Amino acid sequence: MSALRVVLLVGSARPPGTGNSEALGSYLLARLAEGGMGTEVFHVHRCQRPEKERALFEAVGGADVFVLSTPLYVDALPYLVTRCCERMAAHRAAEPQEHRSRMVALVNCGFPELEHTLTALDICGVFARQAGFVWAGGLGLGGGEAIGGKPLEEVGGMTRHVRGGLDLAAEALLADRVIPEEAQAQLARPMIPSRLYTTLGDIGWLRTARKKGTLRRLWDRPLG
Amino acid sequence: METHAHGPQVIVDPTTLNPAKRTLLLNGALAGDETLEPVEEALLALLREERTEIRGYAMRDVPLAHCQGCFECWTTTPGLCKTEGDAGREIAAALIKSDLVVILTPITFGGYSSEIKKAMDRIICLVLPFFRRVDGEVHHSQRYPSYPALAAVGVLPAPDEEQARIFRSLVGRNALNMDCPVTAVCVMEAGTPPPILRDSLAADLEPVLAHVGGRVA
Ligand SMILES: Cc1cc2nc3c(=O)[nH]c(=O)nc-3n(C[C@H](O)[C@H](O)[C@H](O)COP(=O)(O)O)c2cc1C
């Protein structure tokens, strides 16, 4: 029997190798690879040309597990992910899929509370069913910017629970089970306390602005 | 009807209006989908009764680059998306200058269509990067002194409780993040007969229509 295959679609618009969604998705993929799955990675902003989009749809069509790892944009899936989902659902409806594929979604957001991701996770669940996937479940993560776009192991102890949750998700996927609630419970444990995260965030914006020489213009209202 | 560089735009005769009130209508119909047309007509009729200036964008005719997730609209060009040469800045400006934003969209997987999302992702320049707490949850601080009311009209191909619930929760979340003073949601099925369509819109959107018409809801 040939190895099971997993396809990761990264929904971030950030360049490959720099985003939090990619760090999360890659960690899960590595665990699935250790379990014997063959892996393939796509970035949604690189799948806009018809031939790239076709390659993505074909890879997903032949995959046993489809992982969407995406940031939250304005309380929902980003534009390019939404567009890709609309087109993938239409493609799969037009060419009925013989292969049984499961889908899992990882949604991370910038605010510390994972509750912000719940609507987007619900959207992923509806997409999965409409596009003919078996919904294996979704995981939300708050405070995603704490990852800094780095591999989770490199970020260190702070991502311990995140990795723990993704390990549980990988185990479940390898055993053809849905993602257990415990995986979400692990991801719900903050990487850094909320107040510290927002304080560090605010300081970070000021520092970046000072470096760019825009500190005094940071509060500008150019459109009002 | 005026033609606009970035697609068709509807502007009600400015001599008949209450010039203080402005409405921005974003139509998120996907290519080839004409089911939103009667809903848009009914919406425009209701808005005209409120004598508000209406600026409308058929988003599928408006080419917009995707948000690159770089946050430069907060740190490099504060308040402006760095992408120039498309209608991104124009739509953000129209939004912040409006008293009411109406999102008309097919409901896709419970959310807005991609045509709406391509505009929504480009408006984070309207808030500040800094954090604030609202009811124990973190959101961004306001850049502008006030934000428009929000109305969302979602059209489903068939009744679907789950998608209607997700849509309502999405609009509620957007309203919270954009600090909208008034919010209203209407979910309907494509092909709803015009009299019923008009009545549902009028009933569900009453609070925002009152807001833009200067009435008390
Ligand atoms: C256009 C845009 C909209 C965003 N909207 C939200 C939001 O509504 N809520 C939230 O918590 N974070 C929001 N974020 C923050 C991202 O979800 C967060 O920074 C995430 O970690 C980015 O992941 P990435 O590195 O994979 O792109 C937004 C970011 C961008 C660029």
Side-chain angles (χ1 to χ4, degrees):
Chain A
M1 200 177 102
S2 62
L4 296 179
R5 299 199 54 76
V6 52
V7 168
L8 165 66
L9 177 63
V10 178
S12 173
R14 286 177 168 163
T18 67
N20 306 318
S21 311
E22 185 177 349
L24 290 161
S26 299
Y27 182 87
L28 180 64
L29 227 60
R31 300 291 79 75
L32 294 174
E34 282 169 10
M37 284 195 182
T39 66
E40 204 170 348
V41 182
F42 291 83
H43 289 82
V44 76
H45 61 97
R46 298 210 163 166
C47 294
Q48 295 184 76
R49 292 223 302 276
E51 68 277 13
K52 297 277 174 162
E53 185 186 71
R54 208 171 317 116
L56 167 70
F57 291 175
E58 273 169 22
V60 171
D64 301 280
V65 178
F66 170 45
V67 179
L68 170 64
S69 184
T70 180
L72 186 74
Y73 277 9
V74 196
D75 301 301
L77 299 177
Y79 156 56
L80 287 182
V81 176
T82 307
R83 182 172 177 276
C84 183
C85 287
E86 287 165 357
R87 294 176 61 84
M88 195 187 290
H91 169 84
R92 291 171 66 90
E95 290 177 26
Q97 309 291 309
E98 279 151 29
H99 196 78
R100 173 182 176 272
S101 308
R102 287 172 291 147
M103 177 182 169
V104 53
L106 310 177
V107 180
N108 85 94
C109 72
F111 293 141
E113 306 86 9
L114 78 86
E115 282 71 17
H116 296 274
T117 65
L118 298 181
T119 308
L121 286 168
D122 281 345
I123 289 173
C124 291
V126 175
F127 161 71
R129 282 187 289 275
Q130 284 191 11
F133 292 100
V134 176
W135 179 233
L139 293 172
L141 178 74
E145 284 297 341
I147 296 169
K150 294 200 210 85
L152 298 188
E153 294 93 332
E154 237 177 73
V155 184
M158 198 168 76
T159 62
R160 195 171 63 246
H161 301 300
V162 179
R163 284 181 275 138
L166 294 175
D167 289 344
L168 290 175
E171 267 172 39
L173 289 169
L174 288 165
D176 202 0
R177 284 186 275 110
V178 295
I179 310 276
E181 276 175 25
E182 180 53 23
Q184 181 61 83
Q186 291 284 327
L187 264 74
R189 298 174 71 167
M191 285 184 274
I192 344 177
S194 170
R195 298 254 170 208
L196 182 61
Y197 178 84
T198 52
T199 306
L200 291 175
D202 285 349
I203 294 170
W205 298 121
L206 294 170
R207 276 216 187 116
T208 308
R210 200 173 50 207
K211 253 193 248 157
K212 295 185 178 220
T214 55
L215 193 52
R216 288 229 228 104
R217 292 194 286 119
L218 215 55
W219 291 262
D220 276 5
R221 293 172 180 166
L223 301 175
Chain B
M1 187 78 117
E2 276 186 17
T3 310
H4 187 263
H6 299 294
Q9 187 179 31
V10 188
I11 298 185
V12 173
D13 177 3
T15 56
T16 63
L17 8 125
N18 165 6
K21 300 289 182 179
R22 290 177 178 164
T23 295
L24 171 67
L25 172 61
L26 299 176
N27 182 332
L30 295 169
D33 176 9
E34 304 311 327
T35 58
L36 264 56
E37 247 175 56
V39 188
E40 185 179 56
E41 259 172 49
L43 250 174
L44 286 171
L46 281 171
L47 289 166
R48 282 195 188 103
E49 282 172 23
E50 303 300 339
R51 306 172 84 79
T52 167
E53 178 190 301
I54 307 162
R55 186 180 251 257
Y57 290 89
M59 290 308 305
R60 66 185 177 197
D61 298 329
V62 182
L64 271 193
H66 66 268
C67 164
Q68 294 179 24
C70 61
F71 294 133
E72 292 198 14
C73 59
W74 286 343
T75 58
T76 309
T77 50
L80 289 175
C81 176
K82 70 172 182 188
T83 303
E84 292 181 79
D86 68 13
R89 289 181 174 188
E90 180 185 306
I91 291 174
L95 190 144
I96 198 62
K97 286 179 184 148
S98 295
D99 299 280
L100 168 64
V101 176
V102 183
I103 292 173
L104 170 61
T105 181
I107 297 184
T108 64
F109 318 122
Y112 303 136
S113 74
S114 55
E115 293 295 351
I116 292 294
K117 270 306 273 173
K118 80 180 176 193
M120 296 293 279
D121 289 0
R122 294 279 300 274
I123 60 162
I124 62 162
C125 55
L126 297 176
V127 294
L128 289 172
F130 305 113
F131 297 115
R132 68 184 170 123
R133 280 190 159 70
V134 183
D135 296 332
E137 234 182 44
V138 173
H139 296 272
H140 287 293
S141 301
Q142 292 161 275
R143 180 180 295 278
Y144 291 89
S146 65
Y147 289 78
L150 176 65
V153 180
V155 181
L156 283 163
D160 187 324
E161 288 288 324
E162 184 188 18
Q163 289 197 66
R165 175 190 61 76
I166 298 170
F167 188 75
R168 287 178 201 284
S169 97
L170 172 59
V171 179
R173 283 251 150 230
N174 283 168
L176 201 57
N177 275 321
M178 286 203 299
D179 215 13
C180 300
V182 191
T183 315
V185 186
C186 180
V187 175
M188 59 174 59
E189 283 88 57
T192 303
I196 300 176
L197 194 156
R198 195 200 136 84
D199 288 352
S200 335
L201 286 172
D204 290 345
L205 304 189
E206 168 60 19
V208 295
L209 291 170
H211 177 78
V212 89
R215 294 178 284 127
V216 177

Short mmCIF file of all heavy atoms in Angstrom, two decimals, chain B residues 21-23 43 46-47 50 52 99-103 148-153 171 175 180-186 201-217:
data_model
loop_
_atom_site.label_atom_id
_atom_site.label_comp_id
_atom_site.label_asym_id
_atom_site.label_seq_id
_atom_site.Cartn_x
_atom_site.Cartn_y
_atom_site.Cartn_z
N LYS B 21 -25.63 62.81 5.25
CA LYS B 21 -25.60 61.35 5.42
C LYS B 21 -25.11 60.64 4.16
O LYS B 21 -25.62 60.89 3.06
CB LYS B 21 -27.00 60.84 5.77
CG LYS B 21 -27.54 61.44 7.05
CD LYS B 21 -26.81 60.90 8.27
CE LYS B 21 -27.40 61.48 9.54
NZ LYS B 21 -26.74 60.99 10.75
N ARG B 22 -24.17 59.76 4.36
CA ARG B 22 -23.61 59.03 3.22
C ARG B 22 -23.65 57.52 3.46
O ARG B 22 -23.38 57.07 4.58
CB ARG B 22 -22.13 59.39 3.05
CG ARG B 22 -21.91 60.79 2.58
CD ARG B 22 -20.43 61.03 2.52
NE ARG B 22 -20.16 62.36 2.03
CZ ARG B 22 -19.00 62.96 2.15
NH1 ARG B 22 -18.00 62.34 2.75
NH2 ARG B 22 -18.81 64.17 1.67
N THR B 23 -23.94 56.80 2.40
CA THR B 23 -23.97 55.34 2.49
C THR B 23 -23.03 54.74 1.46
O THR B 23 -22.99 55.18 0.31
CB THR B 23 -25.41 54.83 2.25
OG1 THR B 23 -26.24 55.29 3.31
CG2 THR B 23 -25.46 53.31 2.21
N LEU B 43 -32.88 47.24 -1.93
CA LEU B 43 -32.05 47.96 -0.95
C LEU B 43 -31.91 49.43 -1.34
O LEU B 43 -32.06 50.34 -0.52
CB LEU B 43 -30.66 47.35 -0.98
CG LEU B 43 -30.18 46.54 0.20
CD1 LEU B 43 -28.83 45.93 -0.11
CD2 LEU B 43 -30.09 47.38 1.46
N LEU B 46 -35.01 51.43 -0.65
CA LEU B 46 -35.15 51.77 0.77
C LEU B 46 -34.19 52.89 1.16
O LEU B 46 -34.56 53.81 1.90
CB LEU B 46 -34.84 50.54 1.63
CG LEU B 46 -35.94 49.50 1.77
CD1 LEU B 46 -35.40 48.26 2.48
CD2 LEU B 46 -37.13 50.07 2.55
N LEU B 47 -32.97 52.80 0.66
CA LEU B 47 -31.97 53.82 1.01
C LEU B 47 -32.35 55.18 0.42
O LEU B 47 -32.17 56.22 1.06
CB LEU B 47 -30.59 53.39 0.52
CG LEU B 47 -29.96 52.22 1.29
CD1 LEU B 47 -28.76 51.64 0.53
CD2 LEU B 47 -29.52 52.66 2.69
N GLU B 50 -34.54 57.21 2.42
CA GLU B 50 -33.88 57.89 3.54
C GLU B 50 -33.09 59.11 3.05
O GLU B 50 -32.46 59.80 3.85
CB GLU B 50 -32.95 56.93 4.29
CG GLU B 50 -33.62 55.69 4.84
CD GLU B 50 -34.74 56.00 5.83
OE1 GLU B 50 -34.73 57.10 6.40
OE2 GLU B 50 -35.61 55.13 6.02
N THR B 52 -30.33 59.42 1.49
CA THR B 52 -28.89 59.39 1.75
C THR B 52 -28.13 59.33 0.43
O THR B 52 -28.63 58.75 -0.53
CB THR B 52 -28.54 58.17 2.64
OG1 THR B 52 -27.14 57.97 2.63
CG2 THR B 52 -29.20 56.88 2.15
N ASP B 99 -21.68 57.23 6.72
CA ASP B 99 -22.44 57.05 7.96
C ASP B 99 -22.92 55.61 8.06
O ASP B 99 -23.22 55.13 9.15
CB ASP B 99 -23.65 57.99 7.96
CG ASP B 99 -23.19 59.43 7.90
OD1 ASP B 99 -22.80 59.96 8.94
OD2 ASP B 99 -23.16 60.01 6.78
N LEU B 100 -23.02 54.97 6.90
CA LEU B 100 -23.51 53.59 6.87
C LEU B 100 -22.76 52.81 5.78
O LEU B 100 -22.59 53.31 4.67
CB LEU B 100 -25.01 53.58 6.56
CG LEU B 100 -25.65 52.23 6.22
CD1 LEU B 100 -25.59 51.27 7.40
CD2 LEU B 100 -27.12 52.43 5.78
N VAL B 101 -22.33 51.60 6.12
CA VAL B 101 -21.78 50.69 5.12
C VAL B 101 -22.75 49.53 4.98
O VAL B 101 -23.14 48.93 6.00
CB VAL B 101 -20.40 50.15 5.53
CG1 VAL B 101 -19.89 49.13 4.53
CG2 VAL B 101 -19.41 51.28 5.67
N VAL B 102 -23.14 49.24 3.76
CA VAL B 102 -24.01 48.09 3.52
C VAL B 102 -23.23 47.06 2.73
O VAL B 102 -22.71 47.35 1.65
CB VAL B 102 -25.28 48.49 2.73
CG1 VAL B 102 -26.21 47.28 2.58
CG2 VAL B 102 -26.02 49.65 3.41
N ILE B 103 -23.14 45.87 3.30
CA ILE B 103 -22.48 44.76 2.61
C ILE B 103 -23.57 43.85 2.06
O ILE B 103 -24.37 43.32 2.84
CB ILE B 103 -21.57 43.98 3.58
CG1 ILE B 103 -20.38 44.84 4.02
CG2 ILE B 103 -21.08 42.68 2.94
CD1 ILE B 103 -19.53 44.23 5.11
N PRO B 148 -18.63 54.13 10.69
CA PRO B 148 -20.00 54.00 10.17
C PRO B 148 -20.80 52.89 10.85
O PRO B 148 -20.23 51.98 11.43
CB PRO B 148 -19.78 53.67 8.69
CG PRO B 148 -18.41 53.11 8.60
CD PRO B 148 -17.62 53.74 9.69
N ALA B 149 -22.12 52.99 10.71
CA ALA B 149 -22.99 51.88 11.08
C ALA B 149 -22.77 50.78 10.05
O ALA B 149 -22.30 51.05 8.94
CB ALA B 149 -24.44 52.34 11.08
N LEU B 150 -23.11 49.55 10.41
CA LEU B 150 -22.87 48.42 9.50
C LEU B 150 -24.16 47.64 9.28
O LEU B 150 -24.83 47.25 10.24
CB LEU B 150 -21.81 47.49 10.09
CG LEU B 150 -21.50 46.21 9.32
CD1 LEU B 150 -20.89 46.50 7.95
CD2 LEU B 150 -20.54 45.31 10.13
N ALA B 151 -24.50 47.45 8.00
CA ALA B 151 -25.62 46.56 7.67
C ALA B 151 -25.08 45.48 6.74
O ALA B 151 -24.29 45.77 5.84
CB ALA B 151 -26.72 47.34 6.96
N ALA B 152 -25.49 44.25 6.97
CA ALA B 152 -25.06 43.17 6.08
C ALA B 152 -26.28 42.40 5.62
O ALA B 152 -27.13 42.03 6.42
CB ALA B 152 -24.08 42.25 6.79
N VAL B 153 -26.35 42.22 4.31
CA VAL B 153 -27.45 41.45 3.73
C VAL B 153 -26.83 40.23 3.06
O VAL B 153 -26.07 40.36 2.11
CB VAL B 153 -28.24 42.30 2.71
CG1 VAL B 153 -29.39 41.47 2.11
CG2 VAL B 153 -28.77 43.57 3.36
N VAL B 171 -20.76 39.21 11.25
CA VAL B 171 -21.12 40.64 11.18
C VAL B 171 -20.98 41.27 12.57
O VAL B 171 -20.45 42.38 12.72
CB VAL B 171 -22.56 40.83 10.63
CG1 VAL B 171 -22.92 42.30 10.60
CG2 VAL B 171 -22.69 40.21 9.24
N ALA B 175 -18.51 44.36 13.54
CA ALA B 175 -19.06 45.58 14.13
C ALA B 175 -18.30 45.94 15.41
O ALA B 175 -18.02 47.11 15.68
CB ALA B 175 -20.55 45.40 14.43
N CYS B 180 -18.65 49.97 15.27
CA CYS B 180 -19.84 50.49 14.57
C CYS B 180 -20.91 50.89 15.59
O CYS B 180 -21.22 50.10 16.49
CB CYS B 180 -20.41 49.44 13.62
SG CYS B 180 -19.23 48.93 12.38
N PRO B 181 -21.50 52.08 15.44
CA PRO B 181 -22.50 52.51 16.42
C PRO B 181 -23.80 51.71 16.34
O PRO B 181 -24.48 51.55 17.36
CB PRO B 181 -22.73 53.99 16.07
CG PRO B 181 -22.30 54.13 14.65
CD PRO B 181 -21.24 53.10 14.41
N VAL B 182 -24.17 51.26 15.16
CA VAL B 182 -25.42 50.50 14.98
C VAL B 182 -25.12 49.37 13.99
O VAL B 182 -24.36 49.57 13.03
CB VAL B 182 -26.55 51.38 14.37
CG1 VAL B 182 -27.89 50.66 14.45
CG2 VAL B 182 -26.63 52.73 15.04
N THR B 183 -25.73 48.23 14.19
CA THR B 183 -25.51 47.09 13.28
C THR B 183 -26.83 46.42 12.96
O THR B 183 -27.71 46.36 13.83
CB THR B 183 -24.62 46.01 13.96
OG1 THR B 183 -23.54 46.66 14.60
CG2 THR B 183 -24.10 45.01 12.96
N ALA B 184 -26.98 45.93 11.74
CA ALA B 184 -28.18 45.17 11.39
C ALA B 184 -27.81 44.09 10.39
O ALA B 184 -26.91 44.28 9.56
CB ALA B 184 -29.22 46.10 10.78
N VAL B 185 -28.47 42.96 10.48
CA VAL B 185 -28.20 41.84 9.58
C VAL B 185 -29.51 41.33 9.00
O VAL B 185 -30.51 41.24 9.71
CB VAL B 185 -27.54 40.65 10.33
CG1 VAL B 185 -27.12 39.56 9.35
CG2 VAL B 185 -26.35 41.10 11.14
N CYS B 186 -29.49 41.01 7.72
CA CYS B 186 -30.65 40.39 7.09
C CYS B 186 -30.14 39.19 6.28
O CYS B 186 -29.22 39.33 5.48
CB CYS B 186 -31.34 41.41 6.17
SG CYS B 186 -32.78 40.75 5.34
N LEU B 201 -36.19 43.29 4.31
CA LEU B 201 -35.09 44.26 4.39
C LEU B 201 -35.48 45.42 5.29
O LEU B 201 -34.71 45.84 6.17
CB LEU B 201 -34.73 44.79 2.99
CG LEU B 201 -33.97 43.86 2.05
CD1 LEU B 201 -33.87 44.48 0.66
CD2 LEU B 201 -32.56 43.58 2.59
N ALA B 202 -36.69 45.94 5.08
CA ALA B 202 -37.14 47.11 5.86
C ALA B 202 -37.18 46.77 7.34
O ALA B 202 -36.75 47.57 8.19
CB ALA B 202 -38.51 47.57 5.37
N ALA B 203 -37.66 45.58 7.67
CA ALA B 203 -37.77 45.21 9.09
C ALA B 203 -36.39 44.98 9.70
O ALA B 203 -36.06 45.53 10.75
CB ALA B 203 -38.63 43.96 9.22
N ASP B 204 -35.57 44.18 9.01
CA ASP B 204 -34.28 43.81 9.61
C ASP B 204 -33.30 44.98 9.63
O ASP B 204 -32.43 45.06 10.49
CB ASP B 204 -33.65 42.63 8.84
CG ASP B 204 -34.40 41.33 9.06
OD1 ASP B 204 -35.22 41.29 10.00
OD2 ASP B 204 -34.19 40.37 8.29
N LEU B 205 -33.40 45.87 8.65
CA LEU B 205 -32.42 46.97 8.58
C LEU B 205 -32.93 48.25 9.24
O LEU B 205 -32.26 49.29 9.17
CB LEU B 205 -32.03 47.25 7.12
CG LEU B 205 -31.47 46.06 6.32
CD1 LEU B 205 -30.92 46.53 4.97
CD2 LEU B 205 -30.37 45.33 7.09
N GLU B 206 -34.08 48.19 9.86
CA GLU B 206 -34.69 49.39 10.46
C GLU B 206 -33.71 50.24 11.29
O GLU B 206 -33.62 51.45 11.11
CB GLU B 206 -35.94 48.98 11.28
CG GLU B 206 -36.53 50.05 12.19
CD GLU B 206 -37.00 51.30 11.44
OE1 GLU B 206 -37.20 51.22 10.22
OE2 GLU B 206 -37.14 52.36 12.10
N PRO B 207 -32.92 49.61 12.20
CA PRO B 207 -32.04 50.44 13.03
C PRO B 207 -31.02 51.25 12.22
O PRO B 207 -30.77 52.41 12.53
CB PRO B 207 -31.31 49.43 13.94
CG PRO B 207 -32.04 48.15 13.80
CD PRO B 207 -32.80 48.18 12.53
N VAL B 208 -30.48 50.64 11.15
CA VAL B 208 -29.46 51.39 10.39
C VAL B 208 -30.12 52.38 9.43
O VAL B 208 -29.56 53.45 9.16
CB VAL B 208 -28.50 50.46 9.61
CG1 VAL B 208 -27.66 49.62 10.56
CG2 VAL B 208 -29.21 49.60 8.62
N LEU B 209 -31.31 52.05 8.94
CA LEU B 209 -32.01 52.99 8.07
C LEU B 209 -32.38 54.23 8.88
O LEU B 209 -32.25 55.37 8.40
CB LEU B 209 -33.26 52.34 7.47
CG LEU B 209 -33.00 51.22 6.45
CD1 LEU B 209 -34.28 50.49 6.09
CD2 LEU B 209 -32.33 51.76 5.19
N ALA B 210 -32.79 54.01 10.11
CA ALA B 210 -33.12 55.14 10.99
C ALA B 210 -31.87 55.97 11.24
O ALA B 210 -31.91 57.20 11.23
CB ALA B 210 -33.69 54.62 12.31
N HIS B 211 -30.75 55.30 11.42
CA HIS B 211 -29.48 55.98 11.70
C HIS B 211 -29.11 56.90 10.54
O HIS B 211 -28.74 58.06 10.73
CB HIS B 211 -28.40 54.92 11.92
CG HIS B 211 -27.02 55.46 12.13
ND1 HIS B 211 -26.61 56.00 13.34
CD2 HIS B 211 -25.95 55.56 11.29
CE1 HIS B 211 -25.35 56.39 13.23
NE2 HIS B 211 -24.93 56.14 11.99
N VAL B 212 -29.26 56.38 9.32
CA VAL B 212 -28.82 57.16 8.16
C VAL B 212 -29.89 58.16 7.73
O VAL B 212 -29.60 59.19 7.11
CB VAL B 212 -28.38 56.21 7.03
CG1 VAL B 212 -29.51 55.81 6.13
CG2 VAL B 212 -27.24 56.77 6.26
N GLY B 213 -31.12 57.88 8.09
CA GLY B 213 -32.20 58.80 7.73
C GLY B 213 -32.40 59.88 8.78
O GLY B 213 -33.26 60.72 8.64
N GLY B 214 -31.62 59.79 9.84
CA GLY B 214 -31.73 60.81 10.87
C GLY B 214 -32.94 60.63 11.76
O GLY B 214 -33.28 61.49 12.55
N ARG B 215 -33.60 59.45 11.64
CA ARG B 215 -34.74 59.19 12.51
C ARG B 215 -34.26 58.49 13.78
O ARG B 215 -33.14 58.02 13.85
CB ARG B 215 -35.74 58.27 11.80
CG ARG B 215 -36.40 58.88 10.60
CD ARG B 215 -37.33 57.90 9.94
NE ARG B 215 -36.63 56.90 9.16
CZ ARG B 215 -36.80 55.60 9.30
NH1 ARG B 215 -37.62 55.12 10.22
NH2 ARG B 215 -36.16 54.74 8.54
N VAL B 216 -35.13 58.40 14.73
CA VAL B 216 -34.79 57.63 15.93
C VAL B 216 -35.39 56.25 15.76
O VAL B 216 -36.57 56.11 15.48
CB VAL B 216 -35.34 58.32 17.20
CG1 VAL B 216 -35.03 57.48 18.43
CG2 VAL B 216 -34.77 59.72 17.32
N ALA B 217 -34.52 55.22 15.89
CA ALA B 217 -35.00 53.84 15.67
C ALA B 217 -36.01 53.43 16.74
O ALA B 217 -35.91 53.87 17.86
CB ALA B 217 -33.84 52.89 15.69
#
